[in-house]
Amino acid sequence: MAHKTGQDLIDEAKQQIKEVTPEQVRDMQSLGERVVYLDVREPNEWNLGHLPHAIHLPLGNLESKVEAIVARDQRVVIYCARGNRSALAALTMKQMGYENVSSMARGVQGWADINGDIEG
């Protein structure tokens, strides 16, 4: 049996989840939509800046802590640096029963490219 690469896993996750663009996220924020923005980057990345009103939960802690932080019926947009870890996180949350979860394509880099607001 051939082993999968990390990129294989990311590609498979992206086929099974919903992705939103940074532009769509900016529209959600400007419309005041009720969305949980979940940052799954590492603490040193979070400290460099994050989306306004985001919640920080590093990917390594997702499975053990997300249920205490985010209700299953909430709308969630997950993001990371470039959209790969967030895709894996979105698939994990989908498997955990979260039905309205998406990953922000292009991550914080894409957010910065469209001049999205940064806190921190």
Side-chain angles (χ1 to χ4, degrees), residues 22-85:
E23 293 84 359
Q24 289 171 309
V25 171
R26 182 177 54 203
D27 291 345
M28 288 177 206
Q29 288 188 344
S30 68
L31 294 171
E33 293 184 21
R34 293 192 50 183
V35 179
V36 174
Y37 299 99
L38 186 61
D39 186 321
V40 295
R41 298 176 299 156
E42 294 299 314
N44 60 317
E45 295 172 291
W46 165 265
N47 291 336
L48 294 174
H50 47 272
L51 273 67
H53 312 293
I55 296 172
H56 183 230
L57 181 60
L59 182 59
N61 296 325
L62 182 73
E63 297 89 345
S64 62
K65 296 187 177 181
V66 71
E67 292 170 295
I69 298 170
V70 181
R72 281 190 168 79
D73 62 350
Q74 289 182 291
R75 184 174 181 189
V76 182
V77 172
I78 307 170
Y79 71 92
C80 61
R82 289 183 299 281
N84 294 331
R85 287 174 285 178

Side-chain angles (χ1 to χ4, degrees), residues 17-21 76-79 83 86-87 90 101-105:
I17 61 155
K18 178 181 177 188
E19 284 190 294
V20 294
T21 65
V76 182
V77 172
I78 307 170
Y79 71 92
S86 59
V101 176
S102 56
S103 170
M104 186 169 75

